[in-house]
Amino acid sequence: MYVPEDAPPDCPACGAPYDSVSRHTDGFVANLIDNERYQRVCFYPASDGGEPAFDCYHHTHAQAGTGGRTDAEGTGSSD
């Protein structure tokens, strides 16, 4: 996994702004249940040296429009 140098300004899968992007050439697991920082991850096909890969675009709760927690709200549990 690494951050691609040619990342676009907006997510190519959904068109929304994103917080970070990572390129993967192997399998991985994505679990966003109760994730404090990210609400959604979009997957987009890519290539890495001519080999298949995919980019993961990580959207915060605010970027995904869910009204969930933002980085400014900090961490911890809520009642």
Side-chain angles (χ1 to χ4, degrees):
M1 186 274 313
Y2 67 93
V3 176
E5 294 179 15
D6 59 348
D10 292 317
C11 175
C14 71
Y18 59 91
D19 185 57
S20 64
V21 60
S22 57
R23 180 161 293 162
H24 299 264
T25 56
D26 291 323
F28 77 102
V29 174
N31 179 359
L32 299 182
I33 297 174
D34 296 326
N35 189 295
E36 295 275 339
R37 187 169 185 178
Y38 297 118
Q39 171 65 34
R40 180 178 75 225
V41 176
C42 292
F43 304 97
Y44 197 77
S47 64
D48 187 70
E51 295 296 318
F54 57 93
D55 291 345
C56 299
Y57 293 86
H58 310 96
H59 300 277
T60 64
H61 292 270
Q63 290 168 330
T66 62
R69 208 174 199 153
T70 64
D71 290 342
E73 292 174 307
T75 59
S77 62
S78 61
D79 296 335

